[in-house]
Amino acid sequence: MNDSNPLLQPHNLVNYAHIRLEHLKPAITRILDENRSAVELIISSQAQTPTWSGLVLAMDALSARVDDASNVLVTLALIPQTDDWQAIASECWTLISDWHVEVTQSLGLFKAYQTLAMGAAAQRLSPAAKTLLAKKINAFNAAGLNLADDQKTALITLNEHIQSLEHTFFTNVQVASRAWSKLISDESLLAGLSQPLKNKLALKAIATGREGWLLTLDEEAIYNDVMAQCENRALRQELLTAYSCRASDHGPMAGHNDNGPILEQLLERRHHKAHLLGYDNYAQLSLQTKIATSTEQVMGFLKSNNAHKKPQLAAQMPSLKALASSLGYSTLQAWDYPYVAHRLSAQLSGMSDAELQAYFPFNHVLDGLILIVQRLFDIQLVAQLSFSTWHHDVMLFEVRDKHTLLGHIYIDPFFREPKADGCWTQAARDRRIDAQGNVILPVAIFHGNFSPASDTTPCLLSPLQLRMLFHEFGHCLQQVLTLSDVRELSSILHMGKDASEFAGKMLEQWCLSPACLLWISRHYQTAKALSSEQVGRLLDARKVTAALETATELLRSQFDFEVHLSVGHGRTVQQVLRHARTEALPLGWPENDQFANTFDYMVTGYEAGYYTYEWAESLAQKVFAKFENDGIFNQNTGQAFRDAFFSPGDERSLLESFEHFMGAPAKGF
């Protein structure tokens, strides 16, 4: 053991501050070399009479070691690094990817798992262990280990092509999003934009050595804010055209980094992969890791959800059209929707964006959120004053149940290069019990993109950022409150997207409730909370923008699933997109809209699974109704929720947990 390499030292929490470039490749190489030797021993010793400890826990320990090291690379990539660092990290990722392919293609391991699953000893395993064994066998089957040699070779080649196409698609989105920009020198063109938003655009200009305000397409949150606030209709049209035509053969950058052919090839290869594995289409294959049991069930859910939610937008249209008419618009165009909805919402709430954000300083909101989850789930989040970190903005909390340490949550809240736009949760370590009976505790990291405090103003959260904080904190809690002893059943990373998104959608319900908003709002200057009347107006006003958001989510869900379902049916991607718009978002939209070409969820693990956001939200709303009935801060209900949904991890299905908590089966799922 190299004692000087922090990546190779035993640790409770990672010693981030001491990891250097020279530590990366030697550590990854050593871990993988030792793993390969260990795998050979496991196969030889477990081939005839495999055991849970000798096979499953032994392999789990090896996988955990690789995953833990991988997570360090992920975390450290979120601070500015040199080109040398990025090059070495890329080499490490290639080595790690090769290792995972080797494991999934190991016929010796596959046969050992099969022998254990079919043996008499398997009948004595716990339900959780049986669940994991089934997942392992399914994973090997999905890797083609049960196929004939020629089919297996074809699948390996297909997977390589799919991975390459996904990488190209994602890279094209990033390059195309950076390719277009517009420098504004006349501030009057930015009428309507809040001062914080203009400050961001000014900083973008300064970063390029220019004066003025720089509009770009690489940050979705900034793009959405400009589209919602900018009074200049022509500028909104120009911005929407550039944004919706990225990575396509249309728009101002037509032909550059065109993802149209890439997406068609990707869908065809996924379809071919599904056929090789015995499925009718890729949508059917994707359901093997989700709750839904058939594509018909998902399409039925989407159709029902559309029928239920579409009237929300229809109900807002007369008011939106009336406001558009008062602004002199003869018709309501795609570049008008966000602006008119935002303006109508502001009229109804009686508050500007800046006035509203002043009530939600990040530190106070976080304190309030922590108090809420502590009360609901009978836990303690204890801030740590001294710990090794990758950035001085990072906070660390121990999560305790009375005197028992359950895990840790890091919070890295503020935007900086090279962080991506948006907020997300990293499952940095999963709970497990090793072969020696030691409990390895889970770790979650919240990565945020909030604007840091200035000399005069603290970090203030917009309503969307408030929801993102609650949503991701739900994921963090799901990661650290599990009591599952089995690593791959305790991690949010290994859960189906529907189960993992449920926790986020569930906690999101609190920041949409009057009592919670009254609790967490506190003006950063006056220390006054919002009044009940103000909260009521805000929630009524939110229905305007929420209707458009909901319709957009319905569109994305239907398009993603249907485009994977209909490959080979003679429809192009654009035809599927137009049909989904008609079904979910029946608004006038430019014919040259190329949304599919930059829909990166298609290549980040959500393919044929974006609908799970809607699925999870529908379940969350039903569950939250019980909290509203019992009291949204009711500790008994909160503890029952924790026991039903968080404690078991992925040892039982989300619908089983729903029935356990609600006392009745979920209908319509």
Side-chain angles (χ1 to χ4, degrees), residues 129-148:
K130 292 177 182 177
T131 298
L132 179 62
L133 264 182
K135 287 184 71 171
K136 286 291 187 183
I137 299 297
N138 287 339
F140 279 115
N141 287 333
L145 269 293
N146 61 341
L147 297 177

Side-chain angles (χ1 to χ4, degrees), residues 351 356 359-360 517-518 521 528-532 534-535 538:
M351 300 179 73
L356 179 56
Y359 282 92
F360 297 104
L517 289 174
L518 288 170
S521 63
K528 289 184 178 180
L530 290 168
S531 68
S532 297
Q534 285 175 310
V535 168
L538 283 173

Side-chain angles (χ1 to χ4, degrees), residues 553-591:
E553 288 299 285
L554 292 173
L555 159 69
R556 293 180 173 190
S557 299
Q558 178 150 340
F559 165 73
D560 169 54
F561 198 77
E562 194 173 342
V563 80
H564 284 94
L565 187 65
S566 62
V567 174
H569 292 186
R571 290 195 297 167
T572 66
V573 170
Q574 280 299 103
Q575 287 172 331
V576 176
L577 176 60
R578 283 195 289 270
H579 176 257
R581 283 205 185 281
T582 302
E583 289 292 303
L585 191 63
L587 303 170
W589 214 262
E591 280 295 315

Side-chain angles (χ1 to χ4, degrees), residues 22 40 46 130 142 145 154 242 256 300 353 358 396 430 511 553 645:
E22 61 267 21
E40 290 180 5
Q46 299 295 306
K130 292 177 182 177
L145 269 293
H256 294 280
D353 290 342
L396 174 64
D430 305 324
C511 69
E553 288 299 285
F645 292 100

Side-chain angles (χ1 to χ4, degrees), residues 304-376:
S304 174
N305 218 27
N306 273 342
H308 175 66
K309 292 185 174 181
K310 275 173 65 175
Q312 297 174 14
L313 181 59
Q316 302 296 336
M317 288 308 295
S319 298
L320 293 174
K321 289 179 178 179
L323 179 55
S325 178
S326 73
L327 295 171
Y329 305 164
S330 58
T331 57
L332 194 59
Q333 300 289 348
W335 46 87
D336 300 324
Y337 301 139
Y339 174 70
V340 176
H342 177 265
R343 187 154 174 164
L344 179 58
S345 179
Q347 288 180 3
L348 294 173
S349 70
M351 300 179 73
S352 68
D353 290 342
E355 289 171 329
L356 179 56
Q357 287 184 231
Y359 282 92
F360 297 104
F362 169 73
N363 287 338
H364 177 77
V365 170
L366 180 62
D367 289 343
L369 173 57
I370 288 172
L371 288 174
I372 289 170
V373 300
Q374 286 185 150
R375 175 176 175 81
L376 279 174

Side-chain angles (χ1 to χ4, degrees), residues 400-414:
R400 293 185 168 274
D401 185 343
K402 301 177 177 61
H403 301 296
T404 302
L405 180 63
L406 300 177
H408 293 84
I409 297 176
Y410 290 91
I411 297 179
D412 185 1
F414 304 125

Side-chain angles (χ1 to χ4, degrees), residues 324-544:
S325 178
S326 73
L327 295 171
Y329 305 164
S330 58
T331 57
L332 194 59
Q333 300 289 348
W335 46 87
D336 300 324
Y337 301 139
Y339 174 70
V340 176
H342 177 265
R343 187 154 174 164
L344 179 58
S345 179
Q347 288 180 3
L348 294 173
S349 70
M351 300 179 73
S352 68
D353 290 342
E355 289 171 329
L356 179 56
Q357 287 184 231
Y359 282 92
F360 297 104
F362 169 73
N363 287 338
H364 177 77
V365 170
L366 180 62
D367 289 343
L369 173 57
I370 288 172
L371 288 174
I372 289 170
V373 300
Q374 286 185 150
R375 175 176 175 81
L376 279 174
F377 306 127
D378 194 23
I379 56 175
Q380 300 82 45
L381 274 72
V382 183
Q384 303 301 289
L385 301 179
S386 178
F387 58 96
S388 181
T389 181
W390 59 95
H391 194 272
H392 57 78
D393 287 334
V394 176
M395 296 170 271
L396 174 64
F397 293 86
E398 284 186 351
V399 182
R400 293 185 168 274
D401 185 343
K402 301 177 177 61
H403 301 296
T404 302
L405 180 63
L406 300 177
H408 293 84
I409 297 176
Y410 290 91
I411 297 179
D412 185 1
F414 304 125
F415 178 78
R416 62 175 178 272
E417 295 291 350
K419 268 190 176 183
D421 184 32
C423 300
W424 60 287
T425 298
Q426 181 184 352
R429 189 171 67 211
D430 305 324
R431 189 183 195 275
R432 65 187 178 94
I433 292 184
D434 64 18
Q436 291 73 43
N438 301 310
V439 179
I440 290 84
L441 295 178
V443 176
I445 305 176
F446 166 79
H447 296 286
N449 70 338
F450 309 142
S451 298
S454 68
D455 292 338
T456 58
T457 309
C459 171
L460 302 174
L461 302 183
S462 69
L464 175 60
Q465 290 173 327
L466 185 67
R467 285 163 48 205
M468 287 194 293
L469 174 60
F470 273 67
H471 182 101
E472 297 304 331
F473 214 79
H475 290 316
C476 290
L477 292 174
Q478 189 176 32
Q479 176 73 7
V480 299
L481 294 187
T482 179
L483 296 179
S484 175
D485 297 335
V486 182
R487 188 177 71 96
E488 290 190 39
L489 300 182
S490 71
S491 173
I492 59 173
L493 189 63
H494 296 292
M495 292 179 176
K497 296 299 184 183
D498 32 27
S500 64
E501 288 305 334
F502 169 78
K505 287 292 186 180
M506 189 63 211
L507 208 63
E508 205 176 313
Q509 303 304 308
W510 267 266
C511 69
L512 300 175
S513 66
C516 182
L517 289 174
L518 288 170
W519 168 253
I520 62 173
S521 63
R522 200 68 84 237
H523 198 285
Y524 79 96
Q525 291 174 317
T526 67
K528 289 184 178 180
L530 290 168
S531 68
S532 297
E533 181 183 358
Q534 285 175 310
V535 168
R537 289 204 306 267
L538 283 173
L539 292 176
D540 284 341
R542 187 188 176 277
K543 294 176 183 177
V544 178

